[in-house]
Amino acid sequence: MSGPSNGELGGSRTKLKSGVSIKVLSAVMAGGLGGAAQAQEAAVESPEATPLPPLEVTVQPTPKKTAKPAPRPAPAAAARPAPRPAPAPMPVAEPVAPAVSASGFGDGTSLTPASGNTLQSGTGLGRLPGTIQDTPQTINVVSQQQMIEQNITTLDQALQNVPGVTVNIGEGGGGMNGDQFRIRGFQAKGDIYVDGLRDFGVYVRDSFAYEQVDVIKGPSSETFGMGTTGGAINIQQKTAHLGNDTSVEGVAGSGPYYRTVVDVNRELNSTTAVRAVGMFHDQDIVDRDHVFSDRWGFLGSFATGLDQDTTWVLNYLHQSGERKPDFGVPMFDPDDKVGPGGETVSGPRLARPVTEFGVSRSNFYGKVTDIDDSNVDMLTSRFTAKLNPSITLYNDTRVAWYDRDFKQTVPNCPPATLDPTDNTCGDSILNRTFTGPYGLGGPAGFMQETWGVQNVTTAAAKFNTGGFKHELIAGIDVFYQDESRTQMGVYDAAGVLQPGTGADVKDPTTIGWPNFRKTIPYTVRGNPLYLKQAEAQDFALFASDQIWLTETLSLLGGLRWDDYRAKYRATDPMTGLWTGGGAIHTNTDSQFTSPKASVIWEPEENQTYYVSWARSYTPQGQFVTNDNNAINTTAGQSEADPEENELWEAGAKLSTRDGRLGLTAALFNVTKGNASFIDPFTGDTQLTGEEQRVRGVEIGLTGSITDAWQVQLGYAYLDSEILYNPAMTGRTVATANEYKGNEVPFVSPNNFTVWTTYELSQHMPNVRGAFTIGGGVTYADAYYTDSANTRIIPSNFSLDALVSYEVDGWRLAVNGYNLTDELNYAAGFASRALPAPGTTVLATVGKRF
């Protein structure tokens, strides 16, 4: 994407609310002509393997090697799906499991099947049983096969396949640069789960240990707990499985980029297996000067009781990362000017990233001293006991430790002035000399140590009462997390602590030619006088019951009650004491009940129609590990009511009669009361009192169109509006309802993603192996980053492609990304945008034994 023309610079705010462009439609039509994917092998079981107990972790046995890989097997055609049978009335004293229809459709215990139809995937969670098709809520799935084909290496990259997800750079005040996602415009940085348990830390998550990624859209507190306004992100980890399997993969490409993953699984006996996965990653980011991301990781998995009524899986994950944190480029408003007395003049044009005005997208405004060193150690235990055909118990436990050494530099661009002799950052952009000095903001960083523990115990019972079939889920969810933090300081050569971010010694120079090196001696280290500590605990009870009124019509209702408490304290940064005028001691205590209700009609096994309602809450102090201050210290904030979120959704999920292809469509309306935002100056989560609404439509198509052609497609249209704002919103003084009618920040109206592959070798009888081509398009409209709708991130468009060849266990592949070299933005914040890499090419060589 090139910089705007003079006409675009003069455009009004209304003009920037663009829909899908002609270029997008043309690319979509072109992408539809490209082919189809290899079927995901995760659901192909070897003769030695048998299905796991319900809702346990899915196995991935290796198919037997053959001299020539057979074409992708088409799933066996099922007989015409019959209505779900209702069991005969049973006495209460003799509960029985509901009858299960025998067909080729998913039963909720497996990952995405060979067809690629994600509707037949399960969530792997005891408290969310059944398949995606059975669940009355929009759920997007990024399968293992899709991650292999796209060469996905991070959670961020996986979520680019999910329409309606945007990414935050991270708050300058809090320094929480890492995985910071929004779903349908709503904050989701506390809504990341691994195997249904909380991932307490903030870091860049590598996907080497992933089996698949599920995004459950809309308020989901009844299932996951507090938050989840836009939804929840659940990662299903790889686990040990029956059968022996080894794979080795190496990747190299633009940047430069180097990556190796080794995956070994061994069956110890007929019910026990172990698995080890190792990863090494070394990458310089394309088109971003000085920015790199290096990491290594290990996953160890032990599973026993496989194919038995009692199963135990123990996973240990370690990931170490070293990267250059990138806070992107500042935004600039060409109409905003400051007079000699501080008065401001503004106009109709919007603030955009400085790269839209001719500044190089490779410019990095950080310093050589910036670094993000992180370590994660995560131990997860998952125990399942099938007591009888009707009752199953699940006990899931996690203990995780995180440490982080984070040093940052956050840029800004001072506005132009009314004095023609000035040469501020803004002045130099307008005269296109780019010689004006940029500014620095935010603190210097922090050293952080965090740990957390969680246990979720769930009972699932299937029974009949009075002629009605029930599926009852009930349980307890308890977690505790603790954080200690030492704030960083910038010290000059004499050891004197510098104010704020240390701009005087960091010497930022000009917006066109930023200064990366140390031109003035300084150090960045922990400030022993400025310490922070926080802890939080939650106790919750949850229960839901699905009752079938007829063989095709059911009602689902659920409740969750939470008691959440958090404490936060900080020393006086002038004295280092926990007492005194500058010290902080605060706490918060919230109790809330999160309900949900659904009406579900399943006239046949391949059809689900539903209407759902749910409510969730986000209390103060939820983000203990990923806010600058664990509890907002502004007067009245710690006692403020939680955010209240409400969802209405009506949808349909349809699979073809053979289960090969799935179609989803949903209408939804999400409202948020007492909405919060991230203060760009302090990094605190501020409750604003705003009422926000996002409504829209989402459609999806997943699976096999033919034996050779697979597609994963999603489109979401989001219509957002601020319904009310009080007289003051954050640091911006506004009259009541001044922002009413504006769009909600971080909501992109039109979002489209498609990935499609075609196995050409099915039409080449003389070619050994499987030869596949593929391609994809992602598009997202421009979105605002503030409630005043004065700052905007331009629209994104990326065209990607794949060529791969597999034979005798070998896999050779070449992936191309952003082939048209658009100027895209991978993330945004209130006053900054992160340019995405330009055209990138990666080559893969892999061997499976």
Side-chain angles (χ1 to χ4, degrees):
M1 184 187 307
S2 62
S5 66
N6 291 334
E8 289 173 317
L9 289 176
S12 67
R13 180 179 310 163
T14 304
K15 181 178 178 179
L16 294 171
K17 299 181 181 180
S18 60
V20 180
S21 67
I22 297 297
K23 175 168 56 176
V24 174
L25 296 177
S26 300
V28 171
M29 295 175 64
L33 299 177
Q38 285 195 333
Q40 181 167 340
E41 296 176 354
V44 179
E45 297 184 342
S46 66
E48 294 79 13
T50 54
L52 298 179
L55 293 175
E56 253 310 325
V57 182
T58 302
V59 304
Q60 271 192 300
T62 307
K64 294 181 178 180
K65 292 192 293 184
T66 58
K68 175 182 179 181
R72 179 187 302 109
R80 177 181 176 87
R84 298 179 185 269
M90 297 293 295
V92 174
E94 301 180 16
V96 298
V100 178
S101 176
S103 78
F105 286 80
D107 61 2
T109 66
S110 62
L111 300 172
T112 302
S115 67
N117 180 5
T118 60
L119 288 182
Q120 302 311 316
S121 171
T123 64
L125 303 180
R127 60 189 187 274
L128 198 61
T131 64
I132 303 299
Q133 177 155 337
D134 299 331
T135 307
Q137 198 167 351
T138 297
I139 301 179
N140 304 105
V141 177
V142 184
S143 68
Q144 173 71 193
Q145 185 63 28
Q146 190 170 0
M147 287 191 282
I148 291 172
E149 291 171 348
Q150 295 182 352
N151 213 340
I152 286 171
T153 61
T154 64
L155 177 60
D156 182 8
Q157 292 175 358
L159 294 180
Q160 291 174 18
N161 292 284
V162 179
V165 174
T166 52
V167 185
N168 277 3
I169 296 174
E171 303 84 66
M176 288 303 170
N177 180 264
D179 285 347
Q180 301 274 7
F181 304 109
R182 288 177 177 265
I183 305 174
R184 293 174 175 170
F186 298 116
Q187 185 64 258
K189 66 182 181 181
D191 302 322
I192 300 175
Y193 298 79
V194 178
D195 294 325
L197 298 169
R198 290 183 178 274
D199 189 350
F200 298 101
V202 181
Y203 58 102
V204 174
R205 294 165 174 83
D206 195 285
S207 62
F208 79 99
Y210 294 2
E211 205 70 82
Q212 74 177 32
V213 178
D214 305 327
V215 180
I216 299 94
K217 297 283 186 70
S220 305
S221 283
E222 190 276 335
T223 301
F224 291 99
M226 60 186 178
T228 69
T229 309
I233 300 164
N234 184 50
I235 299 158
Q236 297 192 50
Q237 278 189 335
K238 295 177 179 177
T239 58
H241 57 77
L242 296 177
N244 295 326
D245 184 57
T246 300
S247 65
V248 180
E249 181 180 84
V251 186
S254 307
Y257 174 110
Y258 306 101
R259 180 179 175 88
T260 301
V261 177
V262 179
D263 188 344
V264 180
N265 188 89
R266 289 294 179 264
E267 179 181 315
L268 302 182
N269 56 45
S270 61
T271 63
T272 306
V274 293
R275 186 172 184 177
V277 186
M279 173 274 298
F280 171 80
H281 184 98
D282 185 293
Q283 179 184 10
D284 288 353
I285 308 301
V286 173
D287 289 333
R288 294 296 293 155
D289 293 344
H290 312 298
V291 181
F292 64 90
S293 182
D294 302 338
R295 53 190 180 268
W296 68 273
F298 171 79
L299 172 75
S301 179
F302 171 80
T304 187
L306 298 173
D307 194 27
Q308 305 296 307
D309 287 342
T310 301
T311 303
W312 181 47
V313 176
L314 182 67
N315 272 20
Y316 166 69
L317 172 72
H318 174 84
Q319 181 182 312
S320 290
E322 180 179 342
R323 55 187 284 270
K324 185 69 68 176
D326 191 353
F327 282 86
V329 301
M331 288 190 181
F332 169 69
D333 188 331
D335 283 343
D336 278 0
K337 295 184 179 180
V338 179
E343 68 276 13
T344 60
V345 176
S346 61
R349 292 181 292 183
L350 303 174
R352 293 181 175 222
V354 295
T355 42
E356 295 293 307
F357 299 89
V359 174
S360 173
R361 70 182 180 188
S362 66
N363 277 7
F364 176 66
Y365 296 96
K367 298 293 292 186
V368 65
T369 50
D370 293 354
I371 196 67
D372 181 8
D373 286 341
S374 63
N375 291 284
V376 179
D377 292 280
M378 183 185 297
L379 189 66
T380 305
S381 169
R382 305 189 69 200
F383 176 80
T384 303
K386 186 176 182 180
L387 304 183
N388 58 47
S390 301
I391 300 176
T392 303
L393 296 181
Y394 305 88
N395 187 277
D396 300 333
T397 303
R398 164 159 303 137
V399 183
W401 299 265
Y402 310 83
D403 65 74
R404 197 175 190 193
D405 183 353
F406 190 89
K407 301 178 179 72
Q408 68 177 16
T409 302
V410 182
N412 59 63
C413 182
T417 69
L418 296 175
D419 186 345
T421 64
D422 282 345
N423 189 41
T424 66
C425 175
D427 290 323
S428 70
I429 290 176
L430 291 179
N431 63 36
R432 300 190 67 82
T433 62
F434 308 119
T435 56
Y438 60 94
L440 301 179
F446 57 85
M447 291 185 294
Q448 181 184 37
E449 292 184 353
T450 300
W451 74 278
V453 59
Q454 183 179 16
N455 177 267
V456 179
T457 301
T458 307
K462 301 177 181 180
F463 56 92
N464 292 355
T465 58
F468 297 112
K469 180 176 71 172
H470 293 260
E471 185 168 30
L472 176 67
I473 308 292
I476 300 173
D477 183 353
V478 181
F479 76 78
Y480 172 85
Q481 57 182 327
D482 178 272
E483 184 216 36
S484 297
R485 196 183 307 191
T486 301
Q487 294 298 111
M488 292 289 184
V490 179
Y491 297 81
D492 66 13
V496 177
L497 178 64
Q498 300 298 293
T501 191
D504 290 342
V505 293
K506 285 190 173 181
D507 190 20
T509 66
T510 67
I511 191 69
W513 294 269
N515 179 21
F516 176 69
R517 303 295 173 188
K518 279 187 182 181
T519 52
I520 300 174
Y522 72 90
T523 59
V524 182
R525 62 179 186 269
N527 180 356
L529 300 181
Y530 199 0
L531 309 178
K532 298 180 178 182
Q533 291 183 352
E535 62 180 43
Q537 62 187 42
D538 185 61
F539 175 82
L541 303 173
F542 60 90
S544 67
D545 186 22
Q546 186 171 2
I547 178 172
W548 277 260
L549 304 180
T550 71
E551 60 186 27
T552 61
L553 181 65
S554 62
L555 302 178
L556 173 63
L559 285 174
R560 175 180 169 122
W561 177 80
D562 282 81
D563 182 355
Y564 181 74
R565 302 163 189 250
K567 298 179 181 179
Y568 169 61
R569 66 174 186 158
T571 60
D572 185 329
M574 301 301 295
T575 66
L577 300 177
W578 295 101
T579 59
I584 298 172
H585 291 267
T586 186
N587 61 77
T588 184
D589 185 351
S590 301
Q591 292 81 38
F592 45 91
T593 301
S594 307
K596 75 173 181 182
S598 301
V599 179
I600 307 167
W601 181 45
E602 301 167 284
E604 293 184 345
E605 191 171 23
N606 66 327
Q607 300 179 37
T608 302
Y609 306 91
Y610 64 91
V611 176
S612 294
W613 169 83
R615 182 174 290 161
S616 70
Y617 295 89
T618 303
Q620 257 291 354
Q622 176 183 347
F623 307 118
V624 167
T625 61
N626 50 15
D627 262 354
N628 182 34
N629 295 313
I631 301 174
N632 194 308
T633 57
T634 304
Q637 288 277 316
S638 62
E639 297 85 18
D641 292 334
E643 293 180 340
E644 181 176 315
N645 320 297
E646 186 175 53
L647 166 73
W648 284 96
E649 181 172 322
K653 301 183 179 183
L654 309 174
S655 289
T656 54
R657 296 194 178 277
D658 57 9
R660 294 159 55 94
L661 190 65
L663 174 66
T664 63
L667 299 171
F668 60 87
N669 187 95
V670 181
T671 57
K672 172 189 278 288
N674 197 26
S676 65
F677 85 117
I678 304 299
D679 189 308
F681 301 97
T682 67
D684 290 338
T685 298
Q686 293 267 16
L687 292 174
T688 66
E690 274 186 10
E691 183 177 349
Q692 301 172 347
R693 185 215 66 211
V694 178
R695 62 187 178 191
V697 59
E698 184 163 340
I699 60 175
L701 181 68
T702 68
S704 298
I705 297 175
T706 69
D707 290 348
W709 185 7
Q710 272 195 357
V711 65
Q712 303 290 328
L713 179 150
Y715 170 75
Y717 172 71
L718 308 177
D719 175 29
S720 69
E721 184 178 352
I722 295 174
L723 302 177
Y724 166 78
N725 74 272
M728 178 174 287
T729 301
R731 287 175 173 248
T732 302
V733 178
T735 59
N737 286 326
E738 180 177 340
Y739 300 150
K740 183 178 181 180
N742 285 3
E743 295 185 26
V744 176
F746 295 97
V747 177
S748 173
N750 287 284
N751 302 263
F752 177 79
T753 176
V754 62
W755 178 255
T756 180
T757 58
Y758 196 90
E759 190 179 325
L760 292 175
S761 52
Q762 292 208 15
H763 306 287
M764 302 175 178
N766 297 324
V767 174
R768 293 185 66 243
F771 178 51
T772 302
I773 62 171
V777 168
T778 57
Y779 172 82
D781 269 346
Y783 60 86
Y784 296 106
T785 62
D786 63 338
S787 295
N789 287 183
T790 60
R791 301 165 182 162
I792 197 165
I793 302 290
S795 61
N796 280 1
F797 171 86
S798 182
L799 176 64
D800 308 326
L802 162 73
V803 177
S804 71
Y805 178 64
E806 297 182 53
V807 63
D808 297 333
W810 289 94
R811 180 176 185 269
L812 308 175
V814 176
N815 288 84
Y817 309 89
N818 192 10
L819 295 178
T820 56
D821 202 29
E822 303 290 330
L823 174 54
N824 292 325
Y825 297 91
F829 193 59
S831 57
R832 302 184 302 279
L834 177 60
T839 299
T840 304
V841 177
L842 300 179
T844 302
V845 178
K847 174 65 175 176
R848 190 168 186 176
F849 304 92

